[in-house]
Amino acid sequence: MTASDTPDISVVVPVHDEAGAAGPLAREIAAAFMGRSYEMIFVDDASRDTTLAELRALMAELPALRVLSHATNAGQSRAVRTGVLAARGAIVVTLDGDGQNPPAEAPKLADALMAAPPNVALVGGRRAKRQDTAAKRWASRWANGIRKRLLKDDADDTGCGLKAFRRDVFLRLPYFDHVHRYLPALTIREGYENRYLDVDHRHRETGRSKYTNWGRLRASLSDLMGVMWLKSRARRPGAVTEF
């Protein structure tokens, strides 16, 4: 694929201090999307290790690879948004940079979205056999249950990094830190529908998680209140007619 091509799919991967994981993940993505019209965009969120150098070294080997770098650490949601803004594909697929989302699952989410009617904006992954600690799984179930009850967003697992969504719809959504966890609720707010598919999940092989259960809890409380406010202030115009 050359730089002048317009791919059908843009795979966006936010990474921060993922030396040893980012390179193999990029090769897996290339294998998963071989023969398809795609690009992959790794957004390095000011890593302090060799993540950026490892990715840049792969660019000659993987023509579909684009590497963007933040000068300052800005968090996962901002890294995803940076990638989506740079994306050339109408369909964006996201994966976590730690390698726990199997890239082989990504094409089926993209295919499901491309086959769906225009009113479906997002196809989310749902980790069928989550490979995390018991404490993390329990905290996730608890948080997902509360969020789903309050926001009525129909998502069982918003923490799954594997998602496919329409780029134009994403860019209409309000941006805030941690917005990646609230995409289902916000797409519904805009009048769209979501669908979900079971996906595999793997153990982390390198590095360590950037999140703790208490850290997520502190952020989620304020985020939930904010998204509830956004939903309460939404007014949709129905069909829009141009004359």
Side-chain angles (χ1 to χ4, degrees):
M1 188 181 71
T2 65
S4 61
D5 290 334
T6 302
D8 295 331
I9 302 165
S10 295
V11 182
V12 172
V13 186
V15 287
H16 175 67
D17 291 350
E18 295 294 353
L25 181 60
R27 289 191 177 98
E28 281 194 81
I29 293 171
F33 284 90
M34 184 180 296
R36 306 183 62 139
S37 173
Y38 83 104
E39 65 178 354
M40 56 175 144
I41 303 172
F42 275 68
V43 182
D44 180 72
D45 190 27
S47 291
R48 298 159 296 184
D49 59 10
T50 60
T51 299
L52 180 58
E54 291 175 17
L55 287 169
R56 292 185 64 185
L58 275 177
M59 293 178 69
E61 175 188 335
L62 303 175
L65 174 61
R66 299 170 60 192
V67 180
L68 282 63
S69 177
H70 285 173
T72 303
N73 180 265
Q76 184 174 351
S77 283
R78 178 57 75 177
V80 169
R81 184 172 175 81
T82 294
V84 175
L85 286 168
R88 297 188 294 247
I91 300 297
V92 173
V93 178
T94 60
L95 297 90
D96 286 341
D98 58 15
Q100 288 193 267
N101 300 142
E105 298 277 29
K108 77 178 183 183
L109 299 184
D111 290 342
L113 183 56
M114 289 190 287
N119 66 308
V120 176
L122 178 147
V123 176
R126 183 172 50 219
R127 291 168 288 189
K129 297 179 180 179
R130 186 171 175 179
Q131 302 299 310
D132 278 320
T133 64
K136 187 174 284 189
R137 293 196 304 270
W138 178 86
S140 181
R141 284 195 297 270
W142 179 81
N144 275 309
I146 291 176
R147 189 213 66 257
K148 189 175 180 180
R149 191 175 305 117
L150 292 176
L151 300 184
K152 298 178 175 57
D153 63 6
D154 73 15
D156 294 322
D157 186 13
T158 60
C160 181
L162 261 172
K163 294 181 177 71
F165 50 80
R166 302 190 191 278
R167 178 178 182 270
D168 62 331
V169 174
F170 178 91
L171 294 177
R172 294 177 201 166
L173 305 180
Y175 172 78
F176 53 89
D177 199 16
H178 298 149
V179 68
H180 64 281
R181 296 185 178 279
Y182 296 92
L183 295 184
L186 294 173
T187 53
I188 290 172
R189 176 181 182 268
E190 291 297 310
Y192 292 94
E193 295 179 8
N194 306 312
R195 293 181 180 174
Y196 304 94
L197 295 174
D198 286 344
V199 296
D200 288 335
H201 190 241
R202 307 188 294 202
H203 289 286
R204 174 185 270 274
E205 299 295 335
T206 62
R208 60 189 180 88
S209 176
K210 313 303 186 295
Y211 301 99
T212 64
N213 287 341
W214 285 114
R216 281 176 169 161
L217 176 61
R218 285 195 300 270
S220 65
L221 292 176
S222 60
D223 292 342
L224 267 174
M225 296 298 292
V227 177
M228 289 173 66
W229 180 85
L230 284 170
K231 284 174 61 69
S232 73
R233 303 301 295 166
R235 298 176 68 184
R236 294 200 293 268
V240 177
T241 303
E242 180 178 355
F243 296 97

